[in-house]
Amino acid sequence: MSFNKALNDEEVFSEMRKMVAFIKQEALEKAREIKVKADEEFNIEKAKLVRQEAINIDAAFQRKVKQADVQRRIAQSNNINKSRMTLLLTRQQMLDDLFAESRTQLVAVAKDPVRYEKFLSDSLLQAFYRLLESEVTVRYRKADKDLIDKLLPVLKSRYLEATNQPIEVQLLEDHLPADGAGGVIVAGNGGRTICNNTPEARLAILEED
């Protein structure tokens, strides 16, 4: 039977150094593994945080874009409404000026004997055709009495020819204003049906339209 030779001090230290080196190497390997794993986890977590922050930034940006768009639409709507209001006011002012000028021109027509005679003749005949009554009453300016007396025989004849129906015309003493533009107000059916053919009434219809 044989026995191993006892290790001397140098050999013992050598073995201990080997064991220490091995343990140190194992520790370094383990440390590297831990670091690699820690780096991977850090990078994964960092990527998550970066991605989430990017999502948050994008969401915030989209909100601001939407808010800016809403504000732009509100401003645009306000500008459009303001422009429309300005347009309406300008249009109304132009119409008011136009009708004011028209009223002045109406009085001028009434002062032109040739033009006014034709207007009065057309107004009477149109009223007769609209009412289609056998008896009517006529209101007029007192100053137009002679002209109406002159026109009625011809107008009655034209009405009879067109409708095969004679018409009786009563001139009322309830005269229209002397400072008006003239014309006539013709009534039939016992005064219940009225045709206002004064220039002022016609102009009022235009204004309303």
Side-chain angles (χ1 to χ4, degrees), residues 124-140:
L124 281 164
L125 193 59
Q126 183 187 58
F128 295 165
Y129 287 149
R130 281 189 176 181
L131 296 175
L132 290 176
E133 297 283 342
S134 59
E135 296 181 5
V136 296
T137 60
V138 177
R139 288 184 63 203
Y140 57 96

Side-chain angles (χ1 to χ4, degrees), residues 10-203:
E10 184 63 31
E11 290 174 335
V12 170
F13 287 134
S14 177
E15 289 298 323
M16 289 180 63
R17 282 195 294 271
K18 289 180 182 179
M19 290 179 63
V20 169
F22 176 78
I23 293 171
K24 183 178 179 181
Q25 184 63 32
E26 285 289 319
L28 289 173
E29 291 293 332
K30 192 65 176 177
R32 277 195 292 269
E33 289 178 6
I34 293 172
K35 184 177 184 304
V36 169
K37 186 174 181 181
D39 288 344
E40 288 178 354
E41 291 178 352
F42 171 77
N43 289 330
I44 291 173
E45 188 63 25
K46 182 176 73 172
K48 287 181 181 179
L49 292 174
V50 170
R51 185 164 54 251
Q52 184 60 48
E53 190 61 25
I55 292 173
N56 293 340
I57 292 173
D58 185 63
F61 176 75
Q62 292 300 325
R63 284 196 300 271
K64 289 183 178 181
V65 168
K66 288 181 179 179
Q67 289 173 356
D69 186 58
V70 169
Q71 291 174 352
R72 179 187 63 80
R73 290 175 182 271
I74 292 174
Q76 184 181 36
S77 178
N78 290 337
N79 288 334
I80 290 174
N81 290 335
K82 185 177 179 180
S83 298
R84 285 177 177 170
M85 183 59 66
T86 301
L87 178 63
L88 288 174
L89 291 174
T90 303
R91 176 178 177 273
Q92 186 60 48
Q93 184 60 53
M94 292 179 67
L95 286 173
D96 291 343
D97 293 343
L98 174 63
F99 284 113
E101 177 63 23
S102 297
R103 291 186 187 92
T104 302
Q105 293 297 323
L106 291 180
V107 176
V109 171
K111 293 180 179 179
D112 184 328
V114 176
R115 294 171 66 189
Y116 184 65
E117 180 174 339
K118 183 178 187 313
F119 170 75
L120 195 59
S121 175
D122 291 344
S123 296
L124 281 164
L125 193 59
Q126 183 187 58
F128 295 165
Y129 287 149
R130 281 189 176 181
L131 296 175
L132 290 176
E133 297 283 342
S134 59
E135 296 181 5
V136 296
T137 60
V138 177
R139 288 184 63 203
Y140 57 96
R141 290 189 312 178
K142 189 175 182 179
D144 295 336
K145 176 68 166 55
D146 292 340
L147 181 56
I148 291 177
D149 286 339
K150 171 187 171 183
L151 294 173
L152 278 180
V154 177
L155 298 179
K156 287 181 179 181
S157 177
R158 290 176 62 184
Y159 181 80
L160 176 61
E161 182 179 351
T163 64
N164 292 319
Q165 173 181 295
I167 185 169
E168 293 295 326
V169 180
Q170 179 186 357
L171 302 180
L172 300 179
E173 295 297 326
D174 182 16
H175 298 118
L176 297 178
D179 58 351
V184 291
I185 298 178
V186 183
N189 192 23
R192 289 186 289 273
T193 308
I194 297 174
C195 178
N196 189 336
N197 255 355
T198 61
E200 292 90 347
R202 289 189 170 197
L203 188 61

